[in-house]
Amino acid sequence: MESRPLRYFVAVAEELNFTRAAERLGISAPPLSRAIRALEAELGAVLFERTTHSVALTPAGTVLLEQARIALDALDAAGHRARRAVEPKLVLAVKADSGGGLLEGILAGYAADPAAVPIGVRLCGWGEQASLVRRGEADAALVHEPFDHTGLDAETVAVEPCVAALPVGHPLAAREAVAVAELGLPFSAPVSAAELHRFQVGIVERHGIRDLSQILALVELGELVTLLPVSVGERYPRPGVAYVPVPDAPPAVLRIVWPRESRSRAVAALVRAAAGRRD
């Protein structure tokens, strides 16, 4: 099986529309349809249920989509890693302001390890870290739970409580602690880490958030109440934001992740340095 038909299939499966998938791929719809039918013939399985008004994945298509993404990520990663092997250097992916103040210590600990090689830090956006590792564009990443663990190993770097970020004029801002249920957020206690993650992703998408400073600015303006790791409040005090402990919120768990198949001594040294920062 070649990669091009798989890329065509993934585009159609994600768009569930042949015309949009063809535009995304830069080809016309008829050859795309022919390629999908040829793939179905090769596999001996129908991948899409097609009507004049809709396209839906069959059970076989659902399985292939999961496996095709893994296969294509692995193929892309092989190319990226081969190109980067010309000049050995480790790349650590980190979202700005998400390292809990530990990044500098991790890098210092890594540099002292005999297996260390030169390292670069790649700053990235929300939710990009794990996919950069899977694609071979980074050797490791610091990422908060929850995230897609497919193809990755992980070690815990830090576990810390969450605080509510409130505008200073908020009725709860002067409290010593608040409960999740008091914050008026779209979930009730006990809230799971997955629910909190979906809420935070929704904030990012609705407001076009690119970094932490934008979130804190929205809090100051009274546009937003959210939960953040306690280290954010310690490292980013703002006159218009009150950080209040939320004892029943799920903790923020920071992990270092790397490719499951990695046998790199340098990556192992970086993992040791990161895991060694845990209290």
Side-chain angles (χ1 to χ4, degrees), residues 124-196:
C124 54
W126 293 87
E128 293 180 345
Q129 302 99 305
S131 61
L132 287 173
V133 176
R134 274 192 289 271
R135 294 201 303 267
E137 295 180 46
D139 300 286
L142 292 175
V143 56
H144 278 97
E145 290 280 8
F147 59 90
D148 182 0
H149 285 245
T150 303
L152 303 174
D153 277 335
E155 278 281 353
T156 299
V157 176
V159 179
E160 56 181 326
C162 281
V163 295
L166 305 167
V168 291
H170 194 282
L172 300 174
R175 292 267 296 273
E176 292 187 2
V178 297
V180 167
E182 297 179 275
L183 296 172
L185 301 178
F187 39 68
S188 57
V191 60
S192 68
E195 287 177 298
L196 179 56

Side-chain angles (χ1 to χ4, degrees), residues 74-123:
L75 186 61
D76 291 341
H80 285 299
R81 289 172 187 144
R83 285 190 289 272
R84 291 204 291 110
V86 176
E87 183 181 353
K89 179 181 179 180
L90 223 57
V91 176
L92 175 65
V94 183
K95 186 179 77 63
D97 305 317
S98 70
L102 300 176
L103 180 57
E104 186 174 322
I106 290 171
L107 296 179
Y110 168 71
D113 194 292
V117 300
I119 187 168
V121 174
R122 175 164 175 176
L123 297 179

